[in-house]
Amino acid sequence: MKIERMRPSLPLLLTALLLCAHRTPVRACTFFKVTIGGVTMVGNNEDAWSIDPRIWFENGKNGEYGAVYLGQNNSTPQGGMNEAGLMFDGLKSPAKLFAGTPGKPPLRFDDLARRVLRSCATIHEAAALIRTFDLSQLNGAYMILVDRSGEYLVVETDTLFTGNEATYAVTNFCVSTCTDFDSVPSERYQRGRALLAADADTSLAFCTSVVNGMHACRKKLGEGTLFSNILDPQRGLVHLYFYHDYSTLRTFSLKDELARGDHSLDMTALFPPNTEFARLVAYRTPFHSKALLGFLLFAAAVALLFGLYAGIVLLIRAIGRLRGRKSERPRAGRLALLLGPGVGVSGGQLRCAWQCQGRYIGRAHNHGPKPITGPRHRQQHIAVVVRSMHEQQRANRCCGNTTMPRQYHGALRARGAVCVDQCGGRQHLHVQHVRFGVRYGDHLV
């Protein structure tokens, strides 16, 4: 086994950010190959939550190879084989800390797969082509290629290595760093390896038993392996099973299908009704319902815009309140009173307060024609900010009141505020609600 590693070129932090933002196009699956007596067969289980699997055929242009591809209805091939017998499959794997190779153009997984199958006949030709690209977009997945001779090439984001064992199987783990395949924690993967180690051959029956042993079928809906394919590069055949039902087989000749021109086939139309697949179709999720996905995306966009709007409004209001509180803070020449909301104040009371220089007034008293009354005609209290004990005593002497009990201060201060200003020889009453900083109005006294 020959391993070639590519050197990372950016700091670890940038790499981690790249991995967080990266998405890989391939799904979970299992893969094996067997080569005996010069005959090679390749098998794969495609495990994907999808209801639109397809098989399609593309002819080569200008001397390129034609090929068959298998995947979903998003045109991203998950596996395939070309006319020269070169086969590939894509598998998910843990992401690596690798930022890319400077000086080389990046290439997506689906573009890489198509370029390789169109222009390469062996894994060595494929390796030479792949080395010319930056494979950072392959992070979180890897590709395995097998040619007609049975040699294989594993392509990870920072590593290429080859091998030629008679039997070989992989699943969703980092192959280049795995030193003990027996320790891979996948029961179905180990089941397939045991079948390959027991009495392997290249017959279709044996290969079917291996993909059957490695397929996934979960209890909830019976979902798991969407389709299984067995590729025969010597004869150019594609054997296909649908939704882990190995009693019905469809076989395609690559040569014959390419002769029909480029075309795509819906796998669900190629097989009889499948009860478990029908349950998956009925179980609507955004993964296989464009209408539901569109609605959820629209709802998310509306919620995001509303949240942004609400945040801006709250921020503007908060800034306004802070500015209002600063502008209404008592200064020299201003009389600040605290009283309950809805309390009436007469001119006589304000004149008394002004004569006392706005320092302190105890219990409500009536120097004018009307007493101070609340919204329910209860006796209210007025208090003025006391700057010192001397000023408090002076206010008491002026107004002839006793000191208001301390426990009233906080309650009155929370109810509202009245500010009396000396402006051009006239007194203005400015009423504002202290708690929210909202000015209710200006009244000339």
Side-chain angles (χ1 to χ4, degrees):
M1 181 182 297
K2 180 181 178 182
I3 299 180
E4 177 182 341
R5 296 189 181 275
M6 303 176 186
R7 295 177 59 189
S9 58
L10 295 179
L12 188 61
L13 178 60
L14 294 179
T15 304
L17 293 175
L18 177 66
L19 297 181
C20 291
H22 181 71
R23 295 172 57 191
T24 99
V26 292
R27 309 294 197 274
C29 55
T30 50
F31 173 92
F32 77 92
K33 79 97 185 178
V34 56
T35 303
I36 297 176
V39 177
T40 297
M41 297 286 279
V42 165
N44 166 63
N45 285 323
E46 182 64 27
D47 303 336
W49 187 292
S50 173
I51 60 172
D52 54 1
R54 305 191 72 81
I55 178 172
W56 66 97
F57 302 86
E58 297 180 4
N59 280 278
K61 299 177 181 179
N62 302 321
E64 296 177 334
Y65 297 109
V68 56
Y69 299 96
L70 302 102
Q72 284 84 55
N73 197 26
N74 58 5
S75 300
T76 299
Q78 304 297 318
M81 177 178 68
N82 68 10
E83 293 176 285
L86 181 64
M87 300 159 284
F88 90 94
D89 192 53
L91 302 93
K92 289 183 82 173
S93 68
K96 293 184 174 183
L97 296 176
F98 179 75
T101 306
K104 295 182 179 181
L107 199 63
R108 298 185 311 175
F109 176 88
D110 53 339
D111 293 332
L112 178 64
R114 284 187 169 90
R115 288 204 184 200
V116 168
L117 290 198
R118 288 171 180 171
S119 58
C120 302
T122 67
I123 63 162
H124 302 289
E125 293 178 1
L129 175 64
I130 292 170
R131 289 189 187 101
T132 64
F133 295 103
D134 169 25
L135 303 180
S136 57
Q137 295 191 35
L138 194 64
N139 209 340
Y142 68 96
M143 178 185 293
I144 183 167
L145 296 107
V146 181
D147 61 25
R148 187 176 293 180
S149 71
E151 289 188 281
Y152 63 84
L153 168 69
V154 175
V155 183
E156 297 178 358
T157 187
D158 63 344
T159 305
L160 277 73
F161 67 87
T162 61
N164 59 359
E165 296 93 327
T167 61
Y168 193 69
V170 291
T171 187
N172 308 112
F173 60 91
C174 187
V175 183
S176 63
T177 59
C178 183
T179 57
D180 182 12
F181 285 16
D182 292 333
S183 65
V184 175
S186 172
E187 181 180 352
R188 57 195 177 97
Y189 169 67
Q190 298 298 347
R191 197 162 51 237
R193 290 185 68 237
L195 290 171
L196 291 170
D199 191 18
D201 63 58
T202 57
S203 66
L204 177 60
F206 174 77
C207 293
T208 299
S209 69
V210 177
V211 292
N212 189 6
M214 298 174 76
H215 84 269
C217 181
R218 302 177 182 90
K219 294 180 180 181
K220 183 175 182 179
L221 297 173
E223 80 278 12
T225 297
L226 183 61
F227 63 84
S228 303
N229 59 270
I230 299 170
L231 305 178
D232 181 349
Q234 274 76 22
R235 291 180 288 179
L237 299 179
V238 181
H239 305 286
L240 185 63
Y241 297 99
F242 177 66
Y243 215 69
H244 47 271
D245 177 6
Y246 299 96
S247 63
T248 304
L249 174 68
R250 293 288 182 267
T251 299
F252 301 88
S253 167
L254 179 57
K255 181 179 179 180
D256 294 344
E257 295 298 326
L258 291 176
R260 295 174 53 195
D262 294 357
H263 61 285
S264 177
L265 301 173
D266 183 357
M267 288 188 193
T268 61
L270 301 174
F271 294 87
N274 185 295
T275 303
E276 291 180 335
F277 184 70
R279 288 204 299 267
L280 177 65
V281 172
Y283 190 78
R284 310 306 293 172
T285 74
F287 290 102
H288 49 67
S289 174
K290 292 183 179 179
L292 182 57
L293 177 61
F295 172 76
L296 291 177
L297 291 175
F298 174 76
V302 171
L304 180 62
L305 291 175
F306 179 78
L308 182 62
Y309 171 78
I312 293 174
V313 170
L314 291 175
L315 180 61
I316 292 174
R317 289 184 177 179
I319 294 174
R321 290 170 190 168
L322 291 176
R323 289 179 175 176
R325 289 181 180 179
K326 290 181 180 179
S327 64
E328 295 297 335
R329 187 172 298 169
R331 299 187 299 271
R334 172 168 291 190
L335 176 63
L337 302 178
L338 300 178
L339 77 164
V343 175
V345 183
S346 70
Q349 293 160 349
L350 289 173
R351 283 193 294 274
C352 174
W354 189 261
Q355 292 166 3
C356 293
Q357 299 182 16
R359 303 302 186 237
Y360 188 90
I361 298 178
R363 291 191 175 277
H365 55 286
N366 185 11
H367 284 277
K370 296 180 181 179
I372 301 177
T373 57
R376 295 183 182 179
H377 305 288
R378 294 194 304 268
Q379 192 74 1
Q380 301 292 325
H381 291 86
I382 298 178
V384 179
V385 176
V386 178
R387 296 181 178 82
S388 69
M389 182 61 67
H390 172 73
E391 292 173 342
Q392 176 178 326
Q393 294 170 353
R394 181 180 177 185
N396 290 342
R397 288 196 300 271
C398 175
C399 296
N401 291 309
T402 59
T403 303
M404 186 176 65
R406 186 179 299 275
Q407 62 265 28
Y408 291 136
H409 295 181
L412 293 173
R413 188 171 290 111
R415 292 182 181 180
V418 176
C419 299
V420 179
D421 232 343
Q422 185 73 15
C423 179
R426 306 186 69 184
Q427 297 172 357
H428 289 266
L429 174 63
H430 305 280
V431 182
Q432 71 168 1
H433 195 289
V434 172
R435 180 176 295 173
F436 298 105
V438 179
R439 175 168 292 178
Y440 288 140
D442 293 344
H443 304 280
L444 179 63
V445 179

